[in-house]
Amino acid sequence: MRYFIGNWKMFGIPKSINILKKINSFYSKDKNRRKYRVIITPPYTLLETYSKYFKKKKISIGSQNCYHKDYFSSNTSAVSPYMIREAGATYTLVGHSDNRIEGDTNEMLKNKVDFALRNNLKVVYCIGENKTDKKNKKTFSVLQKQISKVLDKKFNKKNIIVAYEPVWSIGTGKLPTKNELTITTLHIKKVLKGIFKKKSLPVLYGGSVDGNNIEMFREIKEIDGFLIGGASKSSKKFIDIIKNYYR
Ligand code: PEP
């Protein structure tokens, strides 16, 4: 199974659902549709309406983050996994670099994953080294830490997907080489296997993916799918990625 996840970040108003309707219409008729899943993470403001609309359709809806406590609390602006699930969403991203930069610690991220899973959300756990880590050849140790400090062997691994997003690649057009990406993905899978035993979890790549460079990624069979930011805000660009992946 492959995954194409669109992260809308701070984009979208109610009528932007038309973008998703076009993607859904392509997805429902695509001859390859059984080989992959499409998940879109719009902002919190759209979770309920979009989740209701796509409930019986192909696209799944997720949130971009969740709070590290599970129910209600006195924290202004916080949205808990319970509230997200009640709004109808079925996935959540956790640990996106935008949120790590804003202060998410490993302890908070562990609670987020735990509470999201307990509230029946599937988790897309984001990891990735920054430019300095890469320059100092710390990529493997940073990734190892981000995984082992947050993903607990007691978690239900069937509901966790890992997204490897090198921070220096997000929104920059800069990509890892095919070789770099292959060995890093294999490293991530090895670390995950050490925690969860048996089969590893799906590992996606995220960072400047588009309809042209997807050609390079599809040759790396270790990658189980993609987390797509900028290109997910256009139905054409998003569909082109899927079409070119299966060409
Ligand atoms: C992201 O923000 O998760 C992302 C991958 O963005 P982009 O595709 O725009 O690099």
Side-chain angles (χ1 to χ4, degrees):
M1 181 57 66
R2 295 285 188 251
Y3 297 85
F4 294 87
I5 306 183
N7 175 20
W8 274 12
K9 315 187 194 201
M10 200 174 83
F11 166 83
I13 53 176
K15 71 176 179 197
S16 315
I17 198 167
N18 291 328
I19 298 169
L20 297 193
K21 286 182 184 173
K22 285 184 195 148
I23 295 172
N24 191 67
S25 151
F26 162 79
Y27 183 19
S28 320
K29 294 179 214 129
D30 185 12
K31 63 176 189 315
N32 293 307
R33 66 185 176 277
R34 283 180 225 298
K35 298 184 187 157
Y36 64 92
R37 294 213 170 105
V38 173
I39 301 144
I40 305 289
T41 63
Y44 288 133
T45 46
L46 302 172
L47 281 186
E48 185 170 1
T49 39
Y50 284 20
S51 296
K52 270 190 186 146
Y53 183 85
F54 289 105
K55 193 163 186 214
K56 298 221 165 82
K57 299 190 170 61
K58 293 283 290 170
I59 288 181
S60 303
I61 299 296
S63 62
Q64 297 170 15
N65 194 4
C66 63
Y67 197 54
H68 57 98
K69 294 190 180 127
D70 77 329
Y71 190 59
F72 295 143
S73 87
S74 59
N75 287 65
T76 304
S77 90
V79 181
S80 68
Y82 169 72
M83 291 154 78
I84 293 164
R85 190 68 189 92
E86 285 293 306
T90 49
Y91 284 81
T92 184
L93 305 184
V94 170
H96 192 281
S97 58
D98 288 343
N99 306 124
R100 289 184 192 261
I101 290 163
E102 280 165 7
D104 273 8
T105 62
N106 287 328
E107 200 188 337
M108 282 158 72
L109 293 173
K110 189 169 186 167
N111 284 331
K112 287 184 184 203
V113 176
D114 190 16
F115 290 134
L117 293 171
R118 284 172 198 259
N119 282 279
N120 292 322
L121 290 169
K122 294 189 175 75
V123 170
V124 181
Y125 177 56
C126 307
I127 57 171
E129 82 285 3
N130 64 27
K131 209 168 138 187
T132 317
D133 300 329
K134 182 172 161 60
K135 202 170 134 233
N136 295 337
K137 304 203 181 324
K138 291 256 165 51
T139 299
F140 276 24
S141 60
V142 166
L143 297 174
Q144 157 108 36
K145 218 175 185 176
Q146 288 175 337
I147 297 170
S148 59
K149 297 248 180 234
V150 172
L151 297 184
D152 193 298
K153 65 172 186 291
K154 291 192 211 98
F155 290 166
N156 181 359
K157 66 171 187 252
K158 285 198 196 103
N159 289 337
I160 305 173
I161 294 169
V162 172
Y164 168 55
E165 300 205 292
V167 184
W168 50 269
S169 173
I170 297 178
T172 60
K174 294 195 177 106
L175 300 174
T177 64
K178 201 173 145 188
N179 190 40
E180 270 173 343
L181 193 50
T182 307
I183 57 169
T184 309
T185 308
L186 285 172
H187 170 72
I188 294 167
K189 292 201 165 182
K190 198 171 131 206
V191 175
L192 290 168
K193 241 178 158 173
I195 298 172
F196 294 105
K197 313 293 175 222
K198 291 187 191 149
K199 232 177 131 249
S200 176
L201 318 183
V203 177
L204 319 186
Y205 169 77
S208 297
V209 173
D210 64 27
N212 296 321
N213 59 36
I214 194 74
E215 303 265 338
M216 184 267 276
F217 295 116
R218 76 174 178 183
E219 291 165 17
I220 310 174
K221 62 174 188 334
E222 288 80 10
I223 297 178
D224 301 296
F226 303 92
L227 182 50
I228 301 151
S232 69
K233 295 183 272 183
S234 142
S235 54
K236 183 180 176 323
K237 287 186 184 166
F238 192 78
I239 292 168
D240 276 353
I241 292 174
I242 300 175
K243 277 188 183 160
N244 291 348
Y245 185 81
Y246 286 107
R247 197 153 50 184

